[in-house]
Amino acid sequence: MSTPSLTSPTLITTEDWRGRALVPVLVFVGLLIAVVSSLGSPLIPTIATDYGVSLGTAQWSLTITLLVGAITSPVVGRMGDGPRRLPVLLVSLGILVVGSVLAALPGTVFALLIVGRAMQGVGLALLPLAMSVARDHLSPKRSRSTLATLSVTAVVGVGLGYPITGLIAEHLDLHAGFWMAAGLGVLAMVLVALVVPQSVHRPRQVFDVPGALLLGLALAGLLIAISESDDWGWTSGTLWGLAAASVALVGIWVWHELRTAEPLVDLRLLRHRTVLTANSAGLIAGIGMYMLMTMIIRYVQTPTAISYGLGASVVVGGLVLLPMSAFSFGSSKLVTYLGRWATPGQILPLGVLTLALSLLLFATGRGSLWEIFVIMGIGGVGIGSSFAVMPRMIVSSVPAEETSSALALNQVLRTIGYSMGSAVTATILTAHTSAGAKLPTNSGYTVGALVAIGLLLVAAALSWLLPERRTPRPLTADDELEILEDTDAAISGTITLDEGVESTGRVHA
């Protein structure tokens, strides 16, 4: 068990330069996360061309980042939740910088790019640490405004980062974006070391090493089995052996997490049916969201010479993600007002079905760029409304002392869904790529969309049938702030894990 805190956090004022610089430095870290997040989907076709690999193989440059993010976010969150938050921040930034440099090195060694992209995945855990610093070391009024700024920075920054990354890749080269991330990362390390205070007031945490190893091995095995199924063949003993071993590891991990005193992810919270609903929907919606994103990015950049692509540049490939980012952010704010007339349990299935509608439109009509923009806008409405009600359902269903742990579980499952969506897309499109060809057939995108629709229909049904029918507990001002942070972090494609002491001093399980 963690030991109690013996001191109070040091409040930072604006009386000296460090106090005035703290908020801008934290916002800069948020912008760095946006840059790293934008070095994903739009660059996959360019990576395939430059490295001479198939699109399915190039997809691993995104999948590996999401996978590492899913594994390391609870790890970094737990390690940074104690008295060593500043060293954890600096080490995480250092890993991100080294990974960016490896990905930026010129050459044709695809494995080096994959290693670099994997190390960049650690950066997905930086936003919660920045939010934790603001919550602990700023006055309540300044903390609330800073947390709101950080959330907006992450959401808007990712949306703008896609076309900016495309411009850099198109007018310089693929590696320029990674060099930019490395340079920004070094600057962030210097600024954080100079400005961010120590967290000696926080209790020491017990780190669940077996849980982290089991989760990492299980997820890696499952994603490899999914991604390599077409190359190995569905009758391959290696494929089914790896899948069976991965499922067994998942079972062992669940058994371990339910019995350890300080679990990496508190699975006991799934005893609440409403929490189970939000987590199931989060996992499946994460799969559907990334299937939509990756299919559309690959589709619009496919050359028109093969009869179905739109022949768009990397810049346009990034621009098509802007409607999704904008409408996600807007609809997440709209849900707050819709909550006066509808319950979260009613809004969630509608949000999931809206995301399914965007995939249905993609399956049936994708012949022009304006259709793609409409599809992404509708998808954004579904994503924003779904991700906005999930934390509200969770917070209103669990005791106050379990709030952060419950949100952390939802965020981990969402990110696992992201990595699975990336891997499933690569598998389906690779299966519809003829021998000797580098691009899939047009029907592959239709099949991928139909698979995603089927999954989302299951999620919508669960969202309607599974929740508990009881009066939720009233939400406090702190609850509303935590819901806001979680929603914006989810929409920005990052993970928020803060299982420790809030500015109120309350210790979470």
Side-chain angles (χ1 to χ4, degrees), residues 290-300 359 362 425 429 444-449 452:
Y290 261 82
M291 290 187 72
L292 176 65
M293 282 178 56
T294 52
M295 283 191 296
I296 280 187
I297 288 296
R298 287 175 60 165
Y299 182 86
V300 299
L359 282 153
F362 178 67
T425 301
L429 295 183
Y445 291 95
T446 303
V447 172

Side-chain angles (χ1 to χ4, degrees), residues 135 151 332-333 335-336 344 387-396 403 407 411 414 473 475-490 496 502:
R135 191 182 289 117
S151 297
S332 70
K333 305 308 174 187
V335 163
T336 302
F387 285 174
V389 296
M390 287 177 198
R392 189 168 295 276
M393 292 174 68
I394 291 170
V395 171
S396 64
T403 296
L407 290 176
Q411 292 146 6
R414 258 192 331 243
R473 72 171 177 86
L475 299 180
T476 66
D478 284 336
D479 290 333
E480 293 287 356
L481 181 60
E482 198 158 7
I483 289 168
L484 172 66
E485 295 171 24
D486 183 90
T487 301
D488 290 345
T496 303
E502 291 184 354

Side-chain angles (χ1 to χ4, degrees), residues 227 242 314 483 494:
S227 300
L242 179 60
V314 181
I483 289 168
T494 60

Side-chain angles (χ1 to χ4, degrees), residues 25-359:
V25 168
L26 296 179
V27 171
F28 182 76
V29 171
L31 289 172
L32 173 62
I33 296 165
V35 170
V36 173
S37 299
S38 67
L39 295 171
S41 297
L43 296 182
I44 289 173
T46 305
I47 289 171
T49 301
D50 286 8
Y51 283 87
V53 298
S54 68
L55 281 170
T57 302
Q59 186 77 29
W60 268 101
S61 65
L62 173 62
T63 303
I64 194 68
T65 307
L66 297 170
L67 172 62
V68 172
I71 296 170
T72 61
S73 288
V75 173
V76 172
R78 175 68 72 178
M79 294 175 67
D81 205 31
R84 297 189 179 91
R85 183 170 55 206
L86 179 58
V88 170
L89 254 174
L90 292 172
V91 170
S92 299
L93 284 167
I95 294 173
L96 185 150
V97 168
V98 173
S100 299
V101 170
L102 289 177
L105 291 176
T108 57
V109 183
F110 183 67
L112 198 62
L113 173 69
I114 292 297
V115 172
R117 290 289 289 155
M119 296 176 73
Q120 283 187 321
V122 178
L124 298 181
L126 291 173
L127 183 62
L129 295 185
M131 287 181 165
S132 184
V133 171
R135 191 182 289 117
D136 277 359
H137 297 288
L138 298 177
S139 64
K141 181 178 179 181
R142 198 173 174 213
S143 171
R144 288 179 183 274
S145 63
T146 302
L147 290 169
T149 301
L150 281 171
S151 297
V152 173
T153 297
V155 174
V156 177
V158 168
L160 295 177
Y162 286 125
I164 292 173
T165 297
L167 282 170
I168 293 173
E170 187 169 294
H171 294 286
L172 297 174
D173 63 24
L174 166 69
H175 303 285
F178 296 116
W179 282 120
M180 177 180 67
L184 293 176
V186 170
L187 180 57
M189 289 183 69
V190 174
L191 294 175
V192 165
L194 289 174
V195 173
V196 174
Q198 298 280 349
S199 58
V200 293
H201 64 283
R202 285 203 168 228
R204 188 177 300 276
Q205 300 289 335
V206 177
F207 181 59
D208 181 17
V209 176
L213 292 175
L214 287 168
L215 178 62
L217 291 173
L219 288 179
L222 285 173
L223 290 178
I224 291 173
I226 293 171
S227 300
E228 300 299 324
S229 58
D230 189 63
D231 289 338
W232 292 351
W234 288 101
T235 59
S236 168
T238 302
L239 172 68
W240 289 107
L242 179 60
S246 300
V247 171
L249 285 174
V250 170
I252 296 171
W253 176 71
V254 170
W255 178 86
H256 170 78
E257 294 297 287
L258 291 174
R259 284 160 178 77
T260 186
E262 294 283 351
L264 183 70
V265 179
D266 193 356
L267 298 178
R268 301 178 185 92
L269 296 166
L270 292 176
R271 67 182 181 272
H272 302 284
R273 285 175 54 188
T274 302
V275 174
L276 179 60
T277 302
N279 287 330
S280 302
L283 175 67
I284 299 175
I287 296 174
M289 176 181 120
Y290 261 82
M291 290 187 72
L292 176 65
M293 282 178 56
T294 52
M295 283 191 296
I296 280 187
I297 288 296
R298 287 175 60 165
Y299 182 86
V300 299
Q301 293 185 56
T302 298
T304 55
I306 69 166
S307 77
Y308 71 82
L310 299 181
S313 64
V314 181
V315 177
V316 175
L319 285 173
V320 300
L321 295 174
L322 277 178
M324 185 185 72
S325 178
F327 279 87
S328 294
F329 185 67
S331 63
S332 70
K333 305 308 174 187
L334 181 62
V335 163
T336 302
Y337 299 99
L338 293 177
R340 300 173 184 175
W341 301 282
T343 66
Q346 294 169 332
I347 296 174
L348 180 57
L350 292 176
V352 173
L353 288 174
T354 303
L355 180 56
L357 174 62
S358 68
L359 282 153

